[in-house]
Amino acid sequence: MDDERLVQLDRSQVNKAVLALQAFLKSKPTGKKLFKNESQNISILFTLWKIPNEAQTIRIPLPHAERTSSEEVCLFTRDEPQMTTDQTVRFYKKLMEERGVTNVTEIIPFKVLKTEYKPFEAKRRLLGNFNMFLADGRIRRRLPSQLGKHFYEKKREPLAVNLQSKHLAQDIQKVVQGTSVKINNKGACCMARVGHSGMTADELTENIEAAVQTVAGKIRMAGPALKIIHVKSERSVALPIYTSGLGHLMKTKATEEEKESAAEETDEDTKQTLAKEKNGKKRKVEEEEDDDSGDEDIPQLVPIKTKGKKLNVRHKKRRPADKKHASILLKMSKKGVRSPKPKRKANVSKRK
């Protein structure tokens, strides 16, 4: 992780905010609660410097489990070939026992989800019966069309798990024990659940520190991204635990000014070079015009005779018949006799 992306949290300030929040939750009347030991979720609210360009989901591993032991976890599995639904359920229950997985409370094959939970009311009951949903990574892409939009609107969509992993218990424990945060490209705020009111102040403080550093390192934004961080419960006021400084903004302004000045200098240099090129072209044109004005163009209408060379002029030779005809015409013109006209052929009409 880069040093610029690290968030320097004041541990004492975070601990004070957690203690104040726990004191507020204890002082609140419990008349509306069904159980006295019912706990409330505690979350941290991130405010970013700007809206991200793309949506992102970040998984956050936590040192202490942010869910209570009484929460129900449901696992969606694929349909095993050449097995009925009951056989697939028994197969995966046996697999969980062999791998030492104790977090999963119920297993639902994909075929059961597709048939028994097709009505809207059945999907709502399924959403209310469980606190967390896991899914086999091989069928995760097929679940949105079967679950509907309510799971995704309430941010309860199933998290992918590799059921073929050799360390299945550790992988599921990380997913159940950890949390996740969804960063969308429609706003500058996002929230992540880091614990519950039944945890101690030190456990909550450690979870908050781990979540903040993970989000600061994995978020896809250039430079520092977190502006303000608050901690709050479901119905309490948000308590600030971190506020970013303005040092990076001054740096960005300085770099922008340097870029603008460099761009202006390059523009001036390009203008000067263009002006020099234009002046050089004008000078060349003027010099060419001066050279052309000194030379007089002599029209060569008659071919110039060169010594030792004769012009090849071809004369037509008269035919002997033409010579005789010309001599006869000269004699007749001297005697005053007109040249005879050629006789016309008489048009003889054909008689029937």
Side-chain angles (χ1 to χ4, degrees):
M1 189 187 298
D2 298 336
D3 294 337
E4 295 180 356
R5 306 296 297 274
L6 286 173
V7 176
Q8 296 180 357
L9 282 176
D10 188 359
R11 189 180 180 87
S12 61
Q13 182 68 24
V14 176
N15 200 1
K16 287 179 183 179
V18 171
L19 290 172
L21 189 61
Q22 287 179 339
F24 170 77
L25 294 175
K26 288 179 181 178
S27 63
K28 192 175 181 180
T30 60
K32 296 181 180 180
K33 291 184 180 181
L34 295 175
F35 304 100
K36 291 183 179 181
N37 296 327
E38 186 179 354
S39 59
Q40 291 192 21
N41 297 329
I42 295 177
S43 307
I44 50 177
L45 177 64
F46 298 99
T47 304
L48 309 178
W49 277 105
K50 59 182 179 180
I51 298 174
N53 296 325
E54 58 180 352
Q56 184 183 2
T57 302
I58 300 174
R59 285 194 179 185
I60 305 170
L62 298 175
H64 306 282
E66 56 94 10
R67 299 180 185 275
T68 60
S69 59
S70 60
E71 292 189 358
E72 302 289 332
V73 179
C74 178
L75 174 64
F76 298 114
T77 63
R78 75 165 191 169
D79 300 320
E80 290 296 324
Q82 298 179 358
M83 286 188 185
T84 62
T85 55
D86 296 335
Q87 289 175 351
T88 54
V89 171
R90 288 195 295 269
F91 171 76
Y92 281 106
K93 282 184 178 180
K94 186 178 179 181
L95 178 66
M96 296 298 160
E97 292 177 359
E98 290 177 354
R99 300 293 176 87
V101 179
T102 58
N103 300 323
V104 178
T105 55
E106 188 169 348
I107 295 172
I108 299 176
F110 183 75
K111 189 175 182 180
V112 175
L113 176 66
K114 190 175 180 180
T115 55
E116 296 184 7
Y117 294 96
K118 189 175 182 179
F120 175 73
E121 293 297 330
K123 292 178 182 178
R124 288 191 64 182
R125 287 196 302 270
L126 178 64
L127 183 62
N129 290 337
F130 299 95
N131 302 103
M132 186 178 184
F133 295 92
L134 303 176
D136 189 354
R138 294 170 290 184
I139 63 166
R140 187 173 179 272
R141 293 185 177 180
R142 301 170 62 186
L143 293 176
S145 60
Q146 302 298 328
L147 294 175
K149 62 181 181 179
H150 304 285
F151 280 77
Y152 297 88
E153 285 179 353
K154 294 186 178 181
K155 299 179 181 180
R156 300 277 299 281
E157 66 272 15
L159 300 176
V161 176
N162 184 13
L163 296 181
Q164 296 176 336
S165 175
K166 295 180 180 179
H167 307 285
L168 183 60
Q170 295 179 3
D171 295 343
I172 292 179
Q173 182 66 22
K174 286 181 180 179
V175 175
V176 174
Q177 184 176 341
T179 185
S180 62
V181 59
K182 284 194 170 183
I183 300 170
N184 55 19
N185 54 355
K186 298 179 181 179
C189 294
C190 54
M191 188 178 293
R193 177 179 167 181
V194 293
H196 54 86
S197 58
M199 298 173 65
T200 62
D202 294 334
E203 291 176 349
L204 285 171
T205 303
E206 290 177 1
N207 282 0
I208 289 170
E209 289 178 346
V212 169
Q213 300 302 337
T214 303
V215 172
K218 291 185 177 181
I219 191 170
R220 296 171 188 165
M221 291 178 66
L226 303 180
K227 184 179 181 181
I228 305 173
I229 303 174
H230 295 82
V231 58
K232 67 184 296 295
S233 66
E234 295 176 357
R235 298 178 182 178
S236 69
V237 180
L239 303 176
I241 57 174
Y242 171 79
T243 303
S244 177
L246 302 176
H248 68 282
L249 293 178
M250 302 300 292
K251 290 180 181 179
T252 53
K253 285 182 180 179
T255 53
E256 288 177 358
E257 290 177 356
E258 289 177 358
K259 288 181 181 178
E260 289 177 358
S261 62
E264 290 177 357
E265 289 178 358
T266 52
D267 292 338
E268 290 179 357
D269 293 337
T270 52
K271 287 179 181 178
Q272 290 178 0
T273 53
L274 290 172
K276 288 180 180 179
E277 290 178 357
K278 287 182 180 179
N279 293 330
K281 288 180 181 179
K282 286 181 180 179
R283 289 177 183 175
K284 286 182 181 179
V285 171
E286 291 176 357
E287 289 175 358
E288 290 176 357
E289 289 179 354
D290 294 337
D291 295 337
D292 294 338
S293 62
D295 298 333
E296 293 181 358
D297 296 333
I298 300 172
Q300 297 179 359
L301 299 177
V302 181
I304 300 171
K305 293 182 180 180
T306 57
K307 295 180 180 180
K309 292 184 179 180
K310 294 182 180 180
L311 295 175
N312 295 324
V313 180
R314 293 181 181 179
H315 298 283
K316 292 182 179 181
K317 295 181 180 181
R318 292 182 180 181
R319 297 177 182 177
D322 294 337
K323 290 181 180 179
K324 290 180 180 180
H325 185 68
S327 61
I328 292 167
L329 288 174
L330 285 172
K331 290 178 181 180
M332 291 176 66
S333 61
K334 288 179 181 179
K335 292 180 180 182
V337 180
R338 294 181 180 178
S339 59
K341 293 180 180 182
K343 295 181 180 181
R344 295 179 180 178
K345 294 181 180 180
N347 296 325
V348 178
S349 61
K350 295 180 180 181
R351 296 179 180 179
K352 294 181 181 179

